[in-house]
Amino acid sequence: MLWSIPVLGFMLGALPSINAQNSTSLENLDASVIQSLGNNTLFTRWRPTSHFIAPAGWMNDPCGMMYDPTTDTYHLHYQWHPYHVNWGNISWGHATSKDLITWTDVGGWEGNGAESLVTGANGSYNHLGIFSGSAQPVNITGGQDGTLLIFYTSVSHLPTNWRIPYYPGTEMQSLAISTDGGETWEQYSDNPVISSPPEGWNITGWRDPFFEPWPEMDHVLGQDEPHYYAVFGSGIKDVGSRIPFYSAPASNLTDWTFLGALWEPSMNESLGSTIETGTYAYNFEVSNFFSLEDEDGDIHYYVMMGTEGGNTTLHPRAQWGLWNEGLVTRRANGSAQFTPVAGGAIDSGLLYAVTSFYDAKNDRRVQWGWAPEEMNDFAINQQGFQGAFALPREMYAKKTTGLVNADGNLTTLGNNRLVEHSDGTFTAYTLGARPVPEVVAGIRNGTTQQNYASGIVNSSSISGKGSNHIEISASFSNFSGPAGVTIAASPGGEEYTTIYFDPDTYTINVNRSYSSTIEEFSNYTVVGYFYPYTFAKTGIEDVEMHIYLDGSLLEVYVNDRFWLTTRIYPSRTDSTGFGIYVGEGASVEVSDIAVWTGLSNIFPDRPINSSSALVFDTPEQTNNYTWWSGN
């Protein structure tokens, strides 16, 4: 059947060459216009509205996420530098939700009202930063009485970086407590609760405590009473990245014992091929652990971590977010050992500091991750903020049966842990993740939905006009070459972004070469590995894409086991066209095409423009700009 959607715009096969617009209006921007604009002028231009984001200023890692059963409330914190557009004197911001869909700023959205944890007095254990951490709805004796407990890294020396010598005392681990449902927080009187990193480690870093009860680990280690466990991001110089592992009795969450390294990869090691499994690089950040039960009731053990320094040609960013499944055993000395058996990118784009929490209300594991900008330090003051979070994702142990290894690429040291059966078929276990279903339903509320005809497509076309807050889903099969979706296309073809699967390389690609006529923004093609399963009975699986564009923030989900987050900054306000992309000489069969236009605002109590006047710190405030840049 031939493609039956009417072509409403241009054909991608005959696009005009791109020339920067010499526009004098804010509808069609160019670099010179942007440079002439004042701070916050473009605050709403590329701003996400259906994703979690700070009111203004710089934000990075998600922190302190938890569900509090005493008030039926979700809490989410974030690293924040209000009034500034770059990283600096990092505190935490705070918002709450009843449903993970809409959020309210604790303390209000104006200025720095949403701050929860702030740096201490000059010279104190936390005077230079409240770095990342996690939270539990318990008191320090493990009881649930409405108390909320945060475990975070307190910083008293800067700069710190895995590349430079580590200054002793830079990072310590501390607690903060709230007894009023998170409205206010107090530092634990005997902070820090862990003052120094493991003895004998020449560390690259030691931060971002992630702590939870872990009954499965109690069983592995033969604990007679319930314990909490904590991991940190770390590494040993010239040896390799590390996950330091600690425990504390649930009855005393100030009494932490170092159990050794949970896992000891070699320096810049990869589990499998680098494009499939990433690289462990030289330092871990924001490490976390969890167990998931599959459909048969079997337990799977996972770690997630950010890796620093392991660049590759196909992943030009200095940081990877990775996941690994592993076997967990008890060491001879009584601690635990994690041995990876599968793994890959938790996001093949820019998402970093990916962490998770147990959603006790719904008995599930939910992850959050930070999406930085890719503006290349251009137009940042005019935008007036940096950073957002991807959609929250529900994680699960994904089991797939009846597979065949048709071309030898279904490897054991890759994204899948395989079990081979006597009939020659395989069962694959991998980490599955999808946007939290009720969040998807919530941000669709009030949208305009369109469905399109299915069929065989052998040329690219634009089929509709949407917005820069849009969701698109489509299913693809029978690829004879690269094919996927076009978004953010201008009527004349000056701008467009293509998202496609290439069956020859087993990659999902986001081609940003023509995403913006403003050449200052990043425009490299983002590439991630995706290997479709082949079933013994039905052949190659369909490639099901779910795409979310929210301002500049672009997320791509494929078959619940591939995730890619990136940024685009179109120069034109009319770059809203969408359609099907097919590579030259290729064809593909497309079905189940749906588009939701006008995704909803998840911070209804904020104005759309919640900008704050930018502040530029003095040399005295920044130790002559060695602690942070000051802007």
Side-chain angles (χ1 to χ4, degrees):
M1 181 172 64
L2 295 178
W3 186 240
S4 57
I5 293 179
V7 178
L8 300 181
F10 59 90
M11 299 295 292
L12 283 179
L15 288 174
S17 61
I18 289 184
N19 294 307
Q21 301 291 315
N22 294 317
S23 171
T24 58
S25 75
L26 295 185
E27 293 188 2
N28 298 327
L29 296 169
D30 63 22
S32 63
V33 169
I34 290 175
Q35 289 172 323
S36 71
L37 299 175
N39 297 344
N40 295 312
T41 310
L42 299 176
F43 188 84
T44 62
R45 180 61 174 243
W46 300 294
R47 185 171 173 83
T49 57
S50 59
H51 287 69
F52 190 99
I53 191 169
W58 167 275
M59 73 176 291
N60 56 296
D61 303 6
C63 299
M65 61 201 72
M66 62 182 147
Y67 171 71
D68 179 10
T70 61
T71 59
D72 186 29
T73 302
Y74 292 97
H75 295 260
L76 180 54
H77 300 252
Y78 49 92
Q79 296 220 287
W80 197 24
H81 197 199
Y83 307 118
H84 300 72
V85 292
N86 282 311
W87 188 93
N89 187 25
I90 290 299
S91 299
W92 282 18
H94 184 197
T96 58
S97 175
K98 292 295 185 180
D99 54 13
L100 288 178
I101 302 169
T102 59
W103 293 86
T104 300
D105 297 295
V106 178
W109 62 268
E110 294 95 340
N112 64 344
E115 280 186 324
S116 51
L117 300 187
V118 297
T119 52
N122 190 36
S124 64
Y125 63 91
N126 63 2
H127 80 280
L128 286 181
I130 309 292
F131 278 13
S132 299
S134 51
Q136 294 290 332
V138 296
N139 58 35
I140 60 173
T141 61
Q144 285 195 344
D145 59 4
T147 300
L148 307 178
L149 185 65
I150 284 173
F151 196 9
Y152 74 96
T153 297
S154 45
V155 179
S156 57
H157 177 83
L158 287 176
T160 183
N161 187 284
W162 69 271
R163 294 181 180 87
I164 64 177
Y166 191 86
Y167 185 85
T170 291
E171 297 163 320
M172 294 179 279
Q173 316 307 327
S174 298
L175 299 174
I177 300 168
S178 175
T179 57
D180 57 9
E183 293 291 327
T184 60
W185 296 85
E186 294 184 359
Q187 299 292 332
Y188 176 57
S189 58
D190 288 333
N191 276 342
V193 294
I194 311 179
S195 298
S196 58
E199 186 176 353
W201 284 25
N202 182 16
I203 60 170
T204 52
W206 180 60
R207 53 183 167 269
D208 314 328
F210 176 87
F211 79 120
E212 281 192 356
W214 198 359
E216 293 85 0
M217 184 59 70
D218 283 343
H219 177 74
V220 169
L221 297 184
Q223 298 286 11
D224 294 329
E225 62 175 305
H227 277 63
Y228 275 62
Y229 297 89
V231 292
F232 299 82
S234 188
I236 301 176
K237 286 186 181 297
D238 300 322
V239 176
S241 300
R242 291 291 182 271
I243 298 181
F245 191 43
Y246 293 75
S247 72
S251 58
N252 185 358
L253 296 178
T254 70
D255 182 20
W256 292 93
T257 299
F258 176 57
L259 300 179
L262 185 61
W263 169 34
E264 300 171 324
S266 300
M267 185 169 55
N268 207 26
E269 180 183 7
S270 293
L271 177 65
S273 68
T274 303
I275 186 175
E276 183 174 359
T277 63
T279 167
Y280 301 140
Y282 302 96
N283 184 61
F284 285 160
E285 296 187 292
V286 196
S287 300
N288 62 124
F289 60 79
F290 51 93
S291 303
L292 295 174
E293 188 175 299
D294 67 23
E295 60 190 57
D296 301 317
D298 295 328
I299 300 299
H300 299 255
Y301 296 92
Y302 299 91
V303 294
M304 292 195 302
M305 60 281 178
T307 72
E308 290 194 297
N311 273 0
T312 69
T313 302
L314 287 176
H315 189 86
R317 297 185 63 83
Q319 300 166 317
W320 282 84
L322 302 181
W323 67 272
N324 273 203
E325 180 185 356
L327 304 178
V328 175
T329 55
R330 183 176 179 176
R331 296 180 189 265
N333 64 359
S335 66
Q337 178 172 329
F338 179 89
T339 304
V341 294
I346 199 64
D347 192 279
S348 293
L350 53 72
L351 202 69
Y352 193 66
V354 180
T355 188
S356 68
F357 79 106
Y358 174 60
D359 176 7
K361 183 176 183 178
N362 296 286
D363 187 26
R364 63 187 175 187
R365 175 69 48 175
V366 175
Q367 65 159 260
W368 290 90
W370 164 52
E373 308 288 335
E374 282 209 306
M375 305 181 87
N376 291 335
D377 293 326
F378 182 76
I380 294 174
N381 287 350
Q382 290 85 352
Q383 178 166 274
F385 68 89
Q386 285 209 73
F389 293 164
L391 292 173
R393 303 172 184 176
E394 176 184 1
M395 296 189 291
Y396 65 101
K398 185 176 178 66
K399 175 185 177 183
T400 308
T401 60
L403 301 180
V404 293
N405 196 6
D407 54 9
N409 285 296
L410 189 67
T411 58
T412 52
L413 285 179
N415 295 166
N416 302 283
R417 178 166 68 85
L418 298 178
V419 176
E420 187 173 5
H421 304 289
S422 58
D423 63 357
T425 67
F426 293 83
T427 294
Y429 297 91
T430 191
L431 180 64
R434 56 198 165 214
V436 171
E438 65 266 33
V439 172
V440 172
I443 64 176
R444 286 177 182 170
N445 188 28
T447 60
T448 299
Q449 181 179 347
Q450 298 167 285
N451 296 88
Y452 292 90
S454 304
I456 298 172
V457 188
N458 50 32
S459 63
S460 302
S461 65
I462 295 301
S463 53
K465 181 179 180 181
S467 76
N468 60 349
H469 305 279
I470 192 171
E471 176 190 352
I472 301 174
S473 66
S475 184
F476 300 86
S477 60
N478 298 318
F479 292 83
S480 69
V485 172
T486 299
I487 62 167
S490 59
E494 298 89 349
E495 294 181 325
Y496 59 94
T497 299
T498 52
I499 304 161
Y500 61 90
F501 172 66
D502 187 337
D504 292 332
T505 59
Y506 302 123
T507 56
I508 303 292
N509 301 261
V510 179
N511 186 344
R512 301 184 296 170
S513 302
Y514 302 103
S515 294
S516 180
T517 61
I518 301 169
E519 296 179 353
E520 282 74 5
F521 298 141
S522 292
N523 62 2
Y524 63 88
T525 297
V526 188
V527 180
Y529 181 84
F530 175 75
Y531 179 74
Y533 290 148
T534 299
F535 291 88
K537 293 183 178 180
T538 58
I540 300 175
E541 67 177 329
D542 291 355
V543 174
E544 299 176 0
M545 290 188 182
H546 290 262
I547 297 164
Y548 298 84
L549 176 63
D550 187 20
S552 66
L553 188 54
L554 174 59
E555 291 187 79
V556 181
Y557 297 82
V558 180
N559 292 30
D560 278 9
R561 64 180 195 272
F562 176 90
W563 320 277
L564 188 156
T565 306
T566 189
R567 297 277 190 169
I568 61 173
Y569 305 93
S571 69
R572 304 169 61 96
T573 57
D574 61 359
S575 293
T576 61
F578 59 85
I580 299 300
Y581 166 77
V582 183
E584 185 177 353
S587 65
V588 71
E589 188 167 352
V590 190
S591 60
D592 301 324
I593 310 162
V595 179
W596 293 264
T597 302
L599 301 177
S600 66
N601 177 17
I602 67 167
F603 279 93
D605 296 333
R606 284 185 198 163
I608 297 299
N609 188 341
S610 57
S611 60
S612 296
L614 301 186
V615 172
F616 299 86
D617 292 338
T618 65
E620 291 75 20
Q621 292 171 299
T622 60
N623 193 25
N624 201 28
Y625 302 110
T626 59
W627 291 341
W628 58 84
S629 63
N631 60 326

